[in-house]
Amino acid sequence: MKVGLHTVDLFPGRERLMPFRTVLEMAKVMKSQGWEADVLNSSVSCSDAADFEWLGIRVVQCPRDFGALSEWVNNNGYDVFLFAATIREGLRNLSAFQKMTCRKIAYIPSGITPKWNAFQLFRHYGLFAKAWMLEAVTPKTLIAYKLKQAGFTELITLTEYTSQRLGKVLPTHVIYPGKDEFEDIETDESILVKNNLKGERFYLFTGAPGQVRGSQLLLKAFDEFVESNKNLNPRIVFLMRNDVGAQYDLFFEVLNGMRHKKCVTVLREQLTIPQLKAFMKEAYAVVLPFICIPAEIPITYYEVMSCGTPVVSFSNAGTTEYLKNGLKIAGKVSVGNLTKALSELWNNKGERDVLACRALGIMEKHPTWNEVGKAWMDLIIMKNKQLYD
């Protein structure tokens, strides 16, 4: 069995980010079971993208034009093609996929973007929000109709929330992204000691300061929170990951304008996984204020919750709907709502402990990448058998 798992704009340095992580992990599981599996990358933002490998998985550059892509897949002898079909792809003409002769299955990497969230992203960052605005306004059933007309036979969604909104045009299968063995990793607390954070109470943000991640909104909300709770001496730590293309100017502009920036610690050093886990485990809560979630479900949620640490997050469709029992939901995207959530949780340790317990319960039941990979394989095998019997 030769399988091609499609994605868009996967470059070295992005392998652990969603949605790329899903197809890479699926390819790993398939290869471990004796299949031939490649990740096929259509590049939009980079004109000189090159093939590379990640943990033994080939990432092969392929055409973005659907007609050329179909011909390319046919020429390379793939038995099954798994297409990354974002909601906004429903606005495009997909008929060129009819030329593709192998079995075609689509998966939805991006999930549903709430209209309010997309509007807030546009309000703060203008045309940067174009893709999310398109996701928000595109009729959700349109992509399924277009895929069916193009000869796709199945649809995989990464959350139940997304599945329910795509209708019943195609057979749809909900297979959540898997979890790492993060709970089994030993922590390295030396980094906490080094920064005088061991035994301290602090909120934590981890990730790049990208616009969709809401780091600037968090700075503003935390400043308001501190202003109202000066007697509690609240603190927040930002672990600023150096993602490919990360932008820091806006973040530091807001930070430098804060009234209480002395309560903020920013760390940009490269951390090991055991050090990262030490921060997540020590934090009072981790704040992930995504304005829009680029792909379901950010792995950071899983990592944090598997440590028994609650997450503060804006309401964000499939991700927060699935994990809501272990989250402090700040409601719709706004500085005021986030300020309120930070204050309520800081002043209610009982609520924090309940959320922490629920987070552990959710992650104990959640499937591993290996289990998820076998679910994708079962779908392929079952449907191929039905086709050729």
Side-chain angles (χ1 to χ4, degrees):
M1 181 77 71
K2 185 175 181 181
V3 181
L5 299 111
H6 178 258
T7 192
V8 177
D9 282 345
L10 167 56
F11 311 122
R14 290 183 171 182
E15 299 92 342
R16 295 189 178 276
L17 303 178
M18 295 293 282
F20 316 118
R21 185 67 182 281
T22 294
V23 289
L24 287 165
E25 292 289 349
M26 297 306 93
K28 277 173 58 180
V29 175
M30 291 174 186
K31 284 195 70 174
S32 74
Q33 299 298 310
W35 290 14
E36 187 176 351
D38 298 325
V39 172
L40 311 180
N41 180 55
S42 293
S43 179
V44 174
S45 62
C46 182
S47 59
D48 58 350
D51 297 355
F52 67 98
E53 283 197 9
W54 182 77
L55 300 180
I57 302 302
R58 292 200 315 157
V59 179
V60 183
Q61 306 307 311
C62 64
R64 173 61 174 160
D65 175 79
F66 295 152
L69 176 59
S70 295
E71 184 177 350
W72 186 91
V73 168
N74 291 341
N75 291 339
N76 282 275
Y78 288 98
D79 300 303
V80 180
F81 175 72
L82 288 128
F83 175 54
T86 60
I87 300 296
R88 64 183 179 276
E89 294 284 22
L91 298 175
R92 302 182 66 187
N93 184 353
L94 306 184
S95 62
F97 278 116
Q98 294 172 0
K99 302 175 184 177
M100 192 180 290
T101 56
C102 70
R103 177 156 177 72
K104 300 186 289 285
I105 299 173
Y107 72 97
I108 307 291
S110 57
I112 305 296
T113 299
K115 291 181 181 178
W116 175 264
N117 298 44
F119 170 75
Q120 290 300 315
L121 193 66
F122 177 78
R123 176 176 166 237
H124 289 282
Y125 302 111
L127 289 178
F128 170 82
K130 178 181 176 181
W132 286 275
M133 291 292 289
L134 287 173
E135 290 279 302
V137 301
T138 302
K140 302 304 176 278
T141 57
L142 186 58
I143 184 61
Y145 280 107
K146 292 283 188 75
L147 289 168
K148 184 175 182 179
Q149 292 170 353
F152 286 81
T153 57
E154 307 288 329
L155 188 57
I156 298 172
T157 66
L158 306 186
T159 67
E160 181 67 35
Y161 182 96
T162 297
S163 176
Q164 290 173 351
R165 282 150 185 81
L166 293 179
K168 299 180 180 180
V169 180
L170 278 173
T172 302
H173 310 267
V174 181
I175 309 176
Y176 283 86
K179 66 175 180 179
D180 294 320
E181 297 176 348
F182 199 76
E183 60 263 38
D184 298 326
I185 296 172
E186 293 292 330
T187 59
D188 176 3
E189 296 183 341
S190 62
I191 191 72
L192 295 171
V193 175
K194 175 183 174 181
N195 289 281
N196 300 314
L197 291 167
K198 179 61 182 171
E200 295 296 318
R201 190 179 184 186
F202 60 90
Y203 279 126
L204 177 68
F205 172 95
T206 178
Q211 292 93 325
V212 297
R213 290 178 171 270
S215 58
Q216 290 105 59
L217 292 186
L218 175 54
L219 286 173
K220 295 174 182 178
F222 186 76
D223 208 25
E224 294 297 327
F225 162 54
V226 176
E227 183 67 18
S228 303
N229 294 273
K230 295 177 184 177
N231 60 311
L232 299 178
N233 192 32
R235 301 179 66 180
I236 190 167
V237 177
F238 285 80
L239 301 182
M240 305 303 282
R241 191 176 65 211
N242 290 303
D243 285 356
V244 175
Q247 298 291 324
Y248 292 89
D249 293 349
L250 289 174
F251 176 83
F252 284 106
E253 181 181 327
V254 176
L255 175 63
N256 290 332
M258 288 178 64
R259 291 164 292 181
H260 303 287
K261 61 183 176 181
K262 290 183 178 180
C263 299
V264 180
T265 299
V266 178
L267 301 177
R268 295 182 65 178
E269 60 188 287
Q270 189 72 31
L271 300 184
T272 65
I273 298 299
Q275 289 174 331
L276 175 63
K277 182 175 180 179
F279 268 105
M280 291 179 174
K281 199 170 181 65
E282 188 78 10
Y284 185 74
V286 175
V287 190
L288 301 176
F290 283 91
I291 300 176
C292 295
I293 289 182
E296 297 179 330
I297 293 170
I299 300 301
T300 305
Y301 282 88
Y302 291 170
E303 293 174 338
V304 173
M305 294 172 69
S306 71
C307 293
T309 303
V311 173
V312 181
S313 183
F314 288 124
S315 182
N316 229 311
T319 292
T320 54
E321 180 64 24
Y322 173 57
L323 301 173
K324 60 186 178 184
N325 287 341
L327 306 178
K328 174 69 175 179
I329 302 292
K332 286 186 173 182
V333 174
S334 76
V335 171
N337 283 344
L338 186 54
T339 301
K340 183 172 182 285
L342 293 174
S343 182
E344 287 177 350
L345 193 61
W346 192 268
N347 289 290
N348 190 343
K349 189 174 182 301
E351 181 186 14
R352 188 265 178 200
D353 292 344
V354 168
L355 291 174
C357 184
R358 290 176 180 172
L360 281 174
I362 292 169
M363 295 317 302
E364 284 173 0
K365 297 176 182 177
H366 191 81
T368 64
W369 281 119
N370 191 54
E371 292 169 324
V372 170
K374 289 181 178 178
W376 282 50
M377 291 178 68
D378 287 345
L379 173 61
I380 293 170
I381 293 169
M382 177 183 66
K383 295 305 175 182
N384 275 1
K385 186 174 185 300
Q386 290 177 1
L387 278 180
Y388 301 118
D389 274 354

